[in-house]
Amino acid sequence: SKSIRSRVKQARIIQDERFKGSNIWCNALMTNRHLKEFCQVTPEGERILERAVDLLGFSARACHSAVRVARTIADLDNSGRIELQHLSEAIGLRNFDRIKI
């Protein structure tokens, strides 16, 4: 729809600005250094990630992937910060992706 297209375009502009001057053009390509710089997680978010490791068997790589997705969800929400709901949604999507049908 037009509203979704508009949100995606705005998120792409945010990412273009974030990575200006680098060889990265989207959140999926962020390295660990970029995660530390652009994806600060609150203490509550850290606890949720720890629970994902304990209860869902997430690896460090899966946690980093969830944080990248959370950054994208936050961009779509036009939020400068990764909020708890962004991280929760990303973990849910990541966990759903692991279900075998």
PDB file of all heavy atoms in Angstrom, residues 49-89:
ATOM      1  N   LEU A  49      17.096 -10.303  25.402  1.00  0.00           N
ATOM      2  CA  LEU A  49      18.040 -11.093  24.606  1.00  0.00           C
ATOM      3  C   LEU A  49      18.578 -12.277  25.409  1.00  0.00           C
ATOM      4  O   LEU A  49      18.722 -13.383  24.874  1.00  0.00           O
ATOM      5  CB  LEU A  49      19.185 -10.214  24.109  1.00  0.00           C
ATOM      6  CG  LEU A  49      18.830  -9.233  22.995  1.00  0.00           C
ATOM      7  CD1 LEU A  49      19.971  -8.250  22.756  1.00  0.00           C
ATOM      8  CD2 LEU A  49      18.488  -9.976  21.710  1.00  0.00           C
ATOM      9  N   GLU A  50      18.864 -12.060  26.686  1.00  0.00           N
ATOM     10  CA  GLU A  50      19.322 -13.160  27.544  1.00  0.00           C
ATOM     11  C   GLU A  50      18.256 -14.243  27.646  1.00  0.00           C
ATOM     12  O   GLU A  50      18.574 -15.442  27.602  1.00  0.00           O
ATOM     13  CB  GLU A  50      19.672 -12.636  28.933  1.00  0.00           C
ATOM     14  CG  GLU A  50      20.953 -11.824  28.965  1.00  0.00           C
ATOM     15  CD  GLU A  50      21.182 -11.141  30.303  1.00  0.00           C
ATOM     16  OE1 GLU A  50      20.433 -11.403  31.267  1.00  0.00           O
ATOM     17  OE2 GLU A  50      22.120 -10.323  30.375  1.00  0.00           O
ATOM     18  N   ARG A  51      16.998 -13.840  27.750  1.00  0.00           N
ATOM     19  CA  ARG A  51      15.905 -14.824  27.799  1.00  0.00           C
ATOM     20  C   ARG A  51      15.793 -15.571  26.480  1.00  0.00           C
ATOM     21  O   ARG A  51      15.486 -16.763  26.467  1.00  0.00           O
ATOM     22  CB  ARG A  51      14.588 -14.148  28.160  1.00  0.00           C
ATOM     23  CG  ARG A  51      14.605 -13.657  29.611  1.00  0.00           C
ATOM     24  CD  ARG A  51      13.289 -13.156  30.063  1.00  0.00           C
ATOM     25  NE  ARG A  51      12.382 -14.288  30.213  1.00  0.00           N
ATOM     26  CZ  ARG A  51      11.060 -14.167  30.260  1.00  0.00           C
ATOM     27  NH1 ARG A  51      10.508 -12.985  30.178  1.00  0.00           N
ATOM     28  NH2 ARG A  51      10.306 -15.234  30.391  1.00  0.00           N
ATOM     29  N   ALA A  52      16.025 -14.872  25.362  1.00  0.00           N
ATOM     30  CA  ALA A  52      15.988 -15.542  24.057  1.00  0.00           C
ATOM     31  C   ALA A  52      17.076 -16.607  23.979  1.00  0.00           C
ATOM     32  O   ALA A  52      16.856 -17.681  23.428  1.00  0.00           O
ATOM     33  CB  ALA A  52      16.149 -14.514  22.936  1.00  0.00           C
ATOM     34  N   VAL A  53      18.228 -16.321  24.565  1.00  0.00           N
ATOM     35  CA  VAL A  53      19.323 -17.305  24.599  1.00  0.00           C
ATOM     36  C   VAL A  53      18.914 -18.488  25.475  1.00  0.00           C
ATOM     37  O   VAL A  53      19.023 -19.647  25.069  1.00  0.00           O
ATOM     38  CB  VAL A  53      20.628 -16.663  25.113  1.00  0.00           C
ATOM     39  CG1 VAL A  53      21.678 -17.722  25.403  1.00  0.00           C
ATOM     40  CG2 VAL A  53      21.150 -15.646  24.111  1.00  0.00           C
ATOM     41  N   ASP A  54      18.418 -18.196  26.679  1.00  0.00           N
ATOM     42  CA  ASP A  54      18.082 -19.248  27.634  1.00  0.00           C
ATOM     43  C   ASP A  54      16.874 -20.079  27.211  1.00  0.00           C
ATOM     44  O   ASP A  54      16.905 -21.306  27.275  1.00  0.00           O
ATOM     45  CB  ASP A  54      17.811 -18.652  29.022  1.00  0.00           C
ATOM     46  CG  ASP A  54      19.048 -18.030  29.648  1.00  0.00           C
ATOM     47  OD1 ASP A  54      20.172 -18.374  29.208  1.00  0.00           O
ATOM     48  OD2 ASP A  54      18.892 -17.197  30.557  1.00  0.00           O
ATOM     49  N   LEU A  55      15.808 -19.414  26.784  1.00  0.00           N
ATOM     50  CA  LEU A  55      14.549 -20.119  26.520  1.00  0.00           C
ATOM     51  C   LEU A  55      14.400 -20.575  25.073  1.00  0.00           C
ATOM     52  O   LEU A  55      13.769 -21.607  24.813  1.00  0.00           O
ATOM     53  CB  LEU A  55      13.358 -19.223  26.888  1.00  0.00           C
ATOM     54  CG  LEU A  55      13.279 -18.792  28.349  1.00  0.00           C
ATOM     55  CD1 LEU A  55      12.119 -17.822  28.557  1.00  0.00           C
ATOM     56  CD2 LEU A  55      13.126 -20.005  29.262  1.00  0.00           C
ATOM     57  N   LEU A  56      14.950 -19.822  24.145  1.00  0.00           N
ATOM     58  CA  LEU A  56      14.751 -20.134  22.733  1.00  0.00           C
ATOM     59  C   LEU A  56      15.999 -20.701  22.075  1.00  0.00           C
ATOM     60  O   LEU A  56      15.975 -21.061  20.901  1.00  0.00           O
ATOM     61  CB  LEU A  56      14.290 -18.876  21.981  1.00  0.00           C
ATOM     62  CG  LEU A  56      13.011 -18.220  22.515  1.00  0.00           C
ATOM     63  CD1 LEU A  56      12.752 -16.899  21.790  1.00  0.00           C
ATOM     64  CD2 LEU A  56      11.829 -19.162  22.367  1.00  0.00           C
ATOM     65  N   GLY A  57      17.104 -20.734  22.811  1.00  0.00           N
ATOM     66  CA  GLY A  57      18.333 -21.301  22.276  1.00  0.00           C
ATOM     67  C   GLY A  57      19.037 -20.410  21.256  1.00  0.00           C
ATOM     68  O   GLY A  57      19.770 -20.902  20.409  1.00  0.00           O
ATOM     69  N   PHE A  58      18.805 -19.102  21.332  1.00  0.00           N
ATOM     70  CA  PHE A  58      19.467 -18.186  20.411  1.00  0.00           C
ATOM     71  C   PHE A  58      20.977 -18.211  20.640  1.00  0.00           C
ATOM     72  O   PHE A  58      21.446 -18.233  21.770  1.00  0.00           O
ATOM     73  CB  PHE A  58      18.980 -16.752  20.630  1.00  0.00           C
ATOM     74  CG  PHE A  58      17.719 -16.393  19.895  1.00  0.00           C
ATOM     75  CD1 PHE A  58      16.744 -17.331  19.622  1.00  0.00           C
ATOM     76  CD2 PHE A  58      17.498 -15.096  19.492  1.00  0.00           C
ATOM     77  CE1 PHE A  58      15.581 -16.991  18.959  1.00  0.00           C
ATOM     78  CE2 PHE A  58      16.344 -14.738  18.828  1.00  0.00           C
ATOM     79  CZ  PHE A  58      15.383 -15.684  18.550  1.00  0.00           C
ATOM     80  N   SER A  59      21.718 -18.171  19.568  1.00  0.00           N
ATOM     81  CA  SER A  59      23.173 -18.019  19.639  1.00  0.00           C
ATOM     82  C   SER A  59      23.489 -16.524  19.633  1.00  0.00           C
ATOM     83  O   SER A  59      22.606 -15.688  19.438  1.00  0.00           O
ATOM     84  CB  SER A  59      23.814 -18.680  18.417  1.00  0.00           C
ATOM     85  OG  SER A  59      23.395 -18.004  17.232  1.00  0.00           O
ATOM     86  N   ALA A  60      24.762 -16.202  19.816  1.00  0.00           N
ATOM     87  CA  ALA A  60      25.173 -14.796  19.726  1.00  0.00           C
ATOM     88  C   ALA A  60      24.858 -14.256  18.332  1.00  0.00           C
ATOM     89  O   ALA A  60      24.399 -13.122  18.181  1.00  0.00           O
ATOM     90  CB  ALA A  60      26.655 -14.656  20.032  1.00  0.00           C
ATOM     91  N   ARG A  61      25.072 -15.073  17.338  1.00  0.00           N
ATOM     92  CA  ARG A  61      24.773 -14.660  15.963  1.00  0.00           C
ATOM     93  C   ARG A  61      23.281 -14.371  15.783  1.00  0.00           C
ATOM     94  O   ARG A  61      22.906 -13.404  15.123  1.00  0.00           O
ATOM     95  CB  ARG A  61      25.232 -15.750  15.006  1.00  0.00           C
ATOM     96  CG  ARG A  61      25.091 -15.394  13.565  1.00  0.00           C
ATOM     97  CD  ARG A  61      25.676 -16.490  12.700  1.00  0.00           C
ATOM     98  NE  ARG A  61      25.564 -16.113  11.306  1.00  0.00           N
ATOM     99  CZ  ARG A  61      26.000 -16.841  10.327  1.00  0.00           C
ATOM    100  NH1 ARG A  61      26.597 -17.995  10.569  1.00  0.00           N
ATOM    101  NH2 ARG A  61      25.864 -16.444   9.089  1.00  0.00           N
ATOM    102  N   ALA A  62      22.429 -15.208  16.357  1.00  0.00           N
ATOM    103  CA  ALA A  62      20.986 -14.996  16.267  1.00  0.00           C
ATOM    104  C   ALA A  62      20.584 -13.720  17.000  1.00  0.00           C
ATOM    105  O   ALA A  62      19.705 -12.983  16.529  1.00  0.00           O
ATOM    106  CB  ALA A  62      20.232 -16.198  16.842  1.00  0.00           C
ATOM    107  N   CYS A  63      21.219 -13.444  18.124  1.00  0.00           N
ATOM    108  CA  CYS A  63      20.939 -12.205  18.859  1.00  0.00           C
ATOM    109  C   CYS A  63      21.342 -10.991  18.040  1.00  0.00           C
ATOM    110  O   CYS A  63      20.590 -10.011  17.961  1.00  0.00           O
ATOM    111  CB  CYS A  63      21.669 -12.196  20.210  1.00  0.00           C
ATOM    112  SG  CYS A  63      20.952 -13.310  21.420  1.00  0.00           S
ATOM    113  N   HIS A  64      22.507 -11.048  17.394  1.00  0.00           N
ATOM    114  CA  HIS A  64      22.945  -9.935  16.544  1.00  0.00           C
ATOM    115  C   HIS A  64      21.983  -9.732  15.384  1.00  0.00           C
ATOM    116  O   HIS A  64      21.657  -8.597  15.022  1.00  0.00           O
ATOM    117  CB  HIS A  64      24.359 -10.172  16.024  1.00  0.00           C
ATOM    118  CG  HIS A  64      25.393 -10.030  17.078  1.00  0.00           C
ATOM    119  ND1 HIS A  64      26.685 -10.469  16.904  1.00  0.00           N
ATOM    120  CD2 HIS A  64      25.358  -9.501  18.325  1.00  0.00           C
ATOM    121  CE1 HIS A  64      27.387 -10.211  17.990  1.00  0.00           C
ATOM    122  NE2 HIS A  64      26.590  -9.625  18.867  1.00  0.00           N
ATOM    123  N   SER A  65      21.518 -10.824  14.816  1.00  0.00           N
ATOM    124  CA  SER A  65      20.554 -10.737  13.723  1.00  0.00           C
ATOM    125  C   SER A  65      19.249 -10.093  14.204  1.00  0.00           C
ATOM    126  O   SER A  65      18.674  -9.241  13.511  1.00  0.00           O
ATOM    127  CB  SER A  65      20.281 -12.135  13.168  1.00  0.00           C
ATOM    128  OG  SER A  65      19.306 -12.081  12.164  1.00  0.00           O
ATOM    129  N   ALA A  66      18.793 -10.483  15.377  1.00  0.00           N
ATOM    130  CA  ALA A  66      17.566  -9.902  15.933  1.00  0.00           C
ATOM    131  C   ALA A  66      17.736  -8.403  16.188  1.00  0.00           C
ATOM    132  O   ALA A  66      16.815  -7.615  15.944  1.00  0.00           O
ATOM    133  CB  ALA A  66      17.176 -10.624  17.224  1.00  0.00           C
ATOM    134  N   VAL A  67      18.907  -8.001  16.631  1.00  0.00           N
ATOM    135  CA  VAL A  67      19.169  -6.575  16.871  1.00  0.00           C
ATOM    136  C   VAL A  67      19.172  -5.812  15.544  1.00  0.00           C
ATOM    137  O   VAL A  67      18.634  -4.704  15.464  1.00  0.00           O
ATOM    138  CB  VAL A  67      20.484  -6.368  17.648  1.00  0.00           C
ATOM    139  CG1 VAL A  67      20.876  -4.900  17.703  1.00  0.00           C
ATOM    140  CG2 VAL A  67      20.349  -6.934  19.062  1.00  0.00           C
ATOM    141  N   ARG A  68      19.742  -6.404  14.493  1.00  0.00           N
ATOM    142  CA  ARG A  68      19.705  -5.754  13.172  1.00  0.00           C
ATOM    143  C   ARG A  68      18.259  -5.567  12.704  1.00  0.00           C
ATOM    144  O   ARG A  68      17.894  -4.512  12.193  1.00  0.00           O
ATOM    145  CB  ARG A  68      20.470  -6.584  12.144  1.00  0.00           C
ATOM    146  CG  ARG A  68      21.952  -6.515  12.258  1.00  0.00           C
ATOM    147  CD  ARG A  68      22.627  -7.312  11.131  1.00  0.00           C
ATOM    148  NE  ARG A  68      24.035  -7.413  11.366  1.00  0.00           N
ATOM    149  CZ  ARG A  68      24.622  -8.423  12.012  1.00  0.00           C
ATOM    150  NH1 ARG A  68      23.905  -9.441  12.461  1.00  0.00           N
ATOM    151  NH2 ARG A  68      25.918  -8.424  12.204  1.00  0.00           N
ATOM    152  N   VAL A  69      17.457  -6.604  12.870  1.00  0.00           N
ATOM    153  CA  VAL A  69      16.047  -6.524  12.474  1.00  0.00           C
ATOM    154  C   VAL A  69      15.319  -5.494  13.338  1.00  0.00           C
ATOM    155  O   VAL A  69      14.512  -4.707  12.833  1.00  0.00           O
ATOM    156  CB  VAL A  69      15.375  -7.911  12.549  1.00  0.00           C
ATOM    157  CG1 VAL A  69      13.870  -7.814  12.347  1.00  0.00           C
ATOM    158  CG2 VAL A  69      15.987  -8.851  11.525  1.00  0.00           C
ATOM    159  N   ALA A  70      15.619  -5.460  14.628  1.00  0.00           N
ATOM    160  CA  ALA A  70      15.006  -4.474  15.518  1.00  0.00           C
ATOM    161  C   ALA A  70      15.358  -3.053  15.081  1.00  0.00           C
ATOM    162  O   ALA A  70      14.523  -2.148  15.133  1.00  0.00           O
ATOM    163  CB  ALA A  70      15.447  -4.708  16.963  1.00  0.00           C
ATOM    164  N   ARG A  71      16.608  -2.849  14.633  1.00  0.00           N
ATOM    165  CA  ARG A  71      17.012  -1.522  14.133  1.00  0.00           C
ATOM    166  C   ARG A  71      16.168  -1.145  12.917  1.00  0.00           C
ATOM    167  O   ARG A  71      15.728  -0.011  12.769  1.00  0.00           O
ATOM    168  CB  ARG A  71      18.510  -1.547  13.775  1.00  0.00           C
ATOM    169  CG  ARG A  71      19.085  -0.300  13.162  1.00  0.00           C
ATOM    170  CD  ARG A  71      19.171   0.837  14.145  1.00  0.00           C
ATOM    171  NE  ARG A  71      17.991   1.671  14.000  1.00  0.00           N
ATOM    172  CZ  ARG A  71      17.596   2.586  14.888  1.00  0.00           C
ATOM    173  NH1 ARG A  71      18.274   2.805  15.979  1.00  0.00           N
ATOM    174  NH2 ARG A  71      16.508   3.276  14.690  1.00  0.00           N
ATOM    175  N   THR A  72      15.912  -2.120  12.032  1.00  0.00           N
ATOM    176  CA  THR A  72      15.091  -1.864  10.852  1.00  0.00           C
ATOM    177  C   THR A  72      13.647  -1.569  11.245  1.00  0.00           C
ATOM    178  O   THR A  72      13.025  -0.654  10.700  1.00  0.00           O
ATOM    179  CB  THR A  72      15.164  -3.058   9.884  1.00  0.00           C
ATOM    180  OG1 THR A  72      16.528  -3.243   9.486  1.00  0.00           O
ATOM    181  CG2 THR A  72      14.307  -2.824   8.653  1.00  0.00           C
ATOM    182  N   ILE A  73      13.116  -2.319  12.196  1.00  0.00           N
ATOM    183  CA  ILE A  73      11.754  -2.062  12.671  1.00  0.00           C
ATOM    184  C   ILE A  73      11.671  -0.671  13.284  1.00  0.00           C
ATOM    185  O   ILE A  73      10.707   0.067  13.048  1.00  0.00           O
ATOM    186  CB  ILE A  73      11.311  -3.154  13.672  1.00  0.00           C
ATOM    187  CG1 ILE A  73      11.186  -4.509  12.958  1.00  0.00           C
ATOM    188  CG2 ILE A  73       9.995  -2.775  14.350  1.00  0.00           C
ATOM    189  CD1 ILE A  73      11.040  -5.693  13.889  1.00  0.00           C
ATOM    190  N   ALA A  74      12.690  -0.289  14.039  1.00  0.00           N
ATOM    191  CA  ALA A  74      12.726   1.057  14.621  1.00  0.00           C
ATOM    192  C   ALA A  74      12.788   2.112  13.517  1.00  0.00           C
ATOM    193  O   ALA A  74      12.123   3.151  13.604  1.00  0.00           O
ATOM    194  CB  ALA A  74      13.913   1.195  15.570  1.00  0.00           C
ATOM    195  N   ASP A  75      13.558   1.848  12.461  1.00  0.00           N
ATOM    196  CA  ASP A  75      13.617   2.781  11.339  1.00  0.00           C
ATOM    197  C   ASP A  75      12.245   2.918  10.676  1.00  0.00           C
ATOM    198  O   ASP A  75      11.817   4.024  10.330  1.00  0.00           O
ATOM    199  CB  ASP A  75      14.641   2.323  10.300  1.00  0.00           C
ATOM    200  CG  ASP A  75      16.079   2.448  10.779  1.00  0.00           C
ATOM    201  OD1 ASP A  75      16.331   3.158  11.783  1.00  0.00           O
ATOM    202  OD2 ASP A  75      16.954   1.815  10.149  1.00  0.00           O
ATOM    203  N   LEU A  76      11.554   1.804  10.492  1.00  0.00           N
ATOM    204  CA  LEU A  76      10.207   1.847   9.917  1.00  0.00           C
ATOM    205  C   LEU A  76       9.239   2.613  10.803  1.00  0.00           C
ATOM    206  O   LEU A  76       8.286   3.221  10.323  1.00  0.00           O
ATOM    207  CB  LEU A  76       9.681   0.425   9.677  1.00  0.00           C
ATOM    208  CG  LEU A  76      10.346  -0.336   8.538  1.00  0.00           C
ATOM    209  CD1 LEU A  76       9.965  -1.811   8.601  1.00  0.00           C
ATOM    210  CD2 LEU A  76       9.956   0.274   7.197  1.00  0.00           C
ATOM    211  N   ASP A  77       9.510   2.587  12.102  1.00  0.00           N
ATOM    212  CA  ASP A  77       8.690   3.300  13.082  1.00  0.00           C
ATOM    213  C   ASP A  77       9.170   4.748  13.260  1.00  0.00           C
ATOM    214  O   ASP A  77       8.655   5.468  14.091  1.00  0.00           O
ATOM    215  CB  ASP A  77       8.765   2.547  14.416  1.00  0.00           C
ATOM    216  CG  ASP A  77       7.567   2.762  15.300  1.00  0.00           C
ATOM    217  OD1 ASP A  77       6.516   3.190  14.790  1.00  0.00           O
ATOM    218  OD2 ASP A  77       7.685   2.489  16.511  1.00  0.00           O
ATOM    219  N   ASN A  78      10.198   5.117  12.494  1.00  0.00           N
ATOM    220  CA  ASN A  78      10.813   6.454  12.558  1.00  0.00           C
ATOM    221  C   ASN A  78      11.301   6.781  13.966  1.00  0.00           C
ATOM    222  O   ASN A  78      11.170   7.899  14.452  1.00  0.00           O
ATOM    223  CB  ASN A  78       9.840   7.521  12.050  1.00  0.00           C
ATOM    224  CG  ASN A  78      10.547   8.772  11.587  1.00  0.00           C
ATOM    225  OD1 ASN A  78      11.740   8.740  11.297  1.00  0.00           O
ATOM    226  ND2 ASN A  78       9.842   9.865  11.535  1.00  0.00           N
ATOM    227  N   SER A  79      11.881   5.779  14.605  1.00  0.00           N
ATOM    228  CA  SER A  79      12.394   5.922  15.963  1.00  0.00           C
ATOM    229  C   SER A  79      13.920   5.925  15.935  1.00  0.00           C
ATOM    230  O   SER A  79      14.532   5.039  15.337  1.00  0.00           O
ATOM    231  CB  SER A  79      11.888   4.764  16.832  1.00  0.00           C
ATOM    232  OG  SER A  79      12.476   4.811  18.108  1.00  0.00           O
ATOM    233  N   GLY A  80      14.510   6.888  16.588  1.00  0.00           N
ATOM    234  CA  GLY A  80      15.959   6.954  16.668  1.00  0.00           C
ATOM    235  C   GLY A  80      16.555   5.891  17.574  1.00  0.00           C
ATOM    236  O   GLY A  80      17.726   5.561  17.473  1.00  0.00           O
ATOM    237  N   ARG A  81      15.730   5.363  18.467  1.00  0.00           N
ATOM    238  CA  ARG A  81      16.190   4.345  19.421  1.00  0.00           C
ATOM    239  C   ARG A  81      15.493   3.024  19.165  1.00  0.00           C
ATOM    240  O   ARG A  81      14.349   2.997  18.709  1.00  0.00           O
ATOM    241  CB  ARG A  81      15.852   4.771  20.850  1.00  0.00           C
ATOM    242  CG  ARG A  81      16.553   5.976  21.328  1.00  0.00           C
ATOM    243  CD  ARG A  81      16.099   6.392  22.705  1.00  0.00           C
ATOM    244  NE  ARG A  81      15.381   5.351  23.432  1.00  0.00           N
ATOM    245  CZ  ARG A  81      15.358   5.229  24.735  1.00  0.00           C
ATOM    246  NH1 ARG A  81      16.002   6.091  25.482  1.00  0.00           N
ATOM    247  NH2 ARG A  81      14.693   4.277  25.330  1.00  0.00           N
ATOM    248  N   ILE A  82      16.181   1.944  19.508  1.00  0.00           N
ATOM    249  CA  ILE A  82      15.539   0.630  19.488  1.00  0.00           C
ATOM    250  C   ILE A  82      14.769   0.509  20.793  1.00  0.00           C
ATOM    251  O   ILE A  82      15.367   0.474  21.873  1.00  0.00           O
ATOM    252  CB  ILE A  82      16.572  -0.506  19.352  1.00  0.00           C
ATOM    253  CG1 ILE A  82      17.297  -0.408  18.017  1.00  0.00           C
ATOM    254  CG2 ILE A  82      15.890  -1.864  19.506  1.00  0.00           C
ATOM    255  CD1 ILE A  82      18.421  -1.411  17.848  1.00  0.00           C
ATOM    256  N   GLU A  83      13.470   0.493  20.688  1.00  0.00           N
ATOM    257  CA  GLU A  83      12.604   0.362  21.857  1.00  0.00           C
ATOM    258  C   GLU A  83      12.349  -1.114  22.136  1.00  0.00           C
ATOM    259  O   GLU A  83      12.603  -1.981  21.299  1.00  0.00           O
ATOM    260  CB  GLU A  83      11.282   1.100  21.626  1.00  0.00           C
ATOM    261  CG  GLU A  83      11.426   2.571  21.297  1.00  0.00           C
ATOM    262  CD  GLU A  83      11.913   3.414  22.463  1.00  0.00           C
ATOM    263  OE1 GLU A  83      11.835   2.942  23.617  1.00  0.00           O
ATOM    264  OE2 GLU A  83      12.353   4.540  22.216  1.00  0.00           O
ATOM    265  N   LEU A  84      11.821  -1.364  23.318  1.00  0.00           N
ATOM    266  CA  LEU A  84      11.546  -2.736  23.732  1.00  0.00           C
ATOM    267  C   LEU A  84      10.617  -3.456  22.749  1.00  0.00           C
ATOM    268  O   LEU A  84      10.839  -4.622  22.416  1.00  0.00           O
ATOM    269  CB  LEU A  84      10.942  -2.729  25.146  1.00  0.00           C
ATOM    270  CG  LEU A  84      10.990  -4.011  25.927  1.00  0.00           C
ATOM    271  CD1 LEU A  84      12.393  -4.574  26.010  1.00  0.00           C
ATOM    272  CD2 LEU A  84      10.438  -3.782  27.322  1.00  0.00           C
ATOM    273  N   GLN A  85       9.599  -2.757  22.259  1.00  0.00           N
ATOM    274  CA  GLN A  85       8.659  -3.396  21.337  1.00  0.00           C
ATOM    275  C   GLN A  85       9.328  -3.747  20.007  1.00  0.00           C
ATOM    276  O   GLN A  85       8.978  -4.756  19.385  1.00  0.00           O
ATOM    277  CB  GLN A  85       7.407  -2.542  21.099  1.00  0.00           C
ATOM    278  CG  GLN A  85       7.628  -1.255  20.351  1.00  0.00           C
ATOM    279  CD  GLN A  85       7.873  -0.070  21.256  1.00  0.00           C
ATOM    280  OE1 GLN A  85       8.206  -0.215  22.424  1.00  0.00           O
ATOM    281  NE2 GLN A  85       7.709   1.122  20.708  1.00  0.00           N
ATOM    282  N   HIS A  86      10.321  -2.964  19.580  1.00  0.00           N
ATOM    283  CA  HIS A  86      11.045  -3.281  18.347  1.00  0.00           C
ATOM    284  C   HIS A  86      11.849  -4.568  18.517  1.00  0.00           C
ATOM    285  O   HIS A  86      11.834  -5.443  17.647  1.00  0.00           O
ATOM    286  CB  HIS A  86      11.993  -2.139  17.968  1.00  0.00           C
ATOM    287  CG  HIS A  86      11.310  -0.826  17.788  1.00  0.00           C
ATOM    288  ND1 HIS A  86      11.852   0.350  18.248  1.00  0.00           N
ATOM    289  CD2 HIS A  86      10.129  -0.500  17.215  1.00  0.00           C
ATOM    290  CE1 HIS A  86      11.043   1.347  17.948  1.00  0.00           C
ATOM    291  NE2 HIS A  86       9.979   0.855  17.328  1.00  0.00           N
ATOM    292  N   LEU A  87      12.521  -4.679  19.643  1.00  0.00           N
ATOM    293  CA  LEU A  87      13.332  -5.863  19.908  1.00  0.00           C
ATOM    294  C   LEU A  87      12.451  -7.094  20.103  1.00  0.00           C
ATOM    295  O   LEU A  87      12.750  -8.172  19.580  1.00  0.00           O
ATOM    296  CB  LEU A  87      14.221  -5.632  21.129  1.00  0.00           C
ATOM    297  CG  LEU A  87      15.313  -6.645  21.379  1.00  0.00           C
ATOM    298  CD1 LEU A  87      16.200  -6.829  20.162  1.00  0.00           C
ATOM    299  CD2 LEU A  87      16.147  -6.233  22.571  1.00  0.00           C
ATOM    300  N   SER A  88      11.349  -6.938  20.806  1.00  0.00           N
ATOM    301  CA  SER A  88      10.430  -8.062  21.013  1.00  0.00           C
ATOM    302  C   SER A  88       9.868  -8.568  19.689  1.00  0.00           C
ATOM    303  O   SER A  88       9.784  -9.778  19.457  1.00  0.00           O
ATOM    304  CB  SER A  88       9.275  -7.642  21.923  1.00  0.00           C
ATOM    305  OG  SER A  88       9.752  -7.307  23.192  1.00  0.00           O
ATOM    306  N   GLU A  89       9.503  -7.645  18.818  1.00  0.00           N
ATOM    307  CA  GLU A  89       8.983  -8.039  17.508  1.00  0.00           C
ATOM    308  C   GLU A  89      10.057  -8.757  16.692  1.00  0.00           C
ATOM    309  O   GLU A  89       9.790  -9.778  16.051  1.00  0.00           O
ATOM    310  CB  GLU A  89       8.486  -6.811  16.746  1.00  0.00           C
ATOM    311  CG  GLU A  89       7.853  -7.137  15.420  1.00  0.00           C
ATOM    312  CD  GLU A  89       7.268  -5.929  14.717  1.00  0.00           C
ATOM    313  OE1 GLU A  89       7.140  -4.854  15.340  1.00  0.00           O
ATOM    314  OE2 GLU A  89       6.922  -6.068  13.522  1.00  0.00           O
TER     315      GLU A  89
END
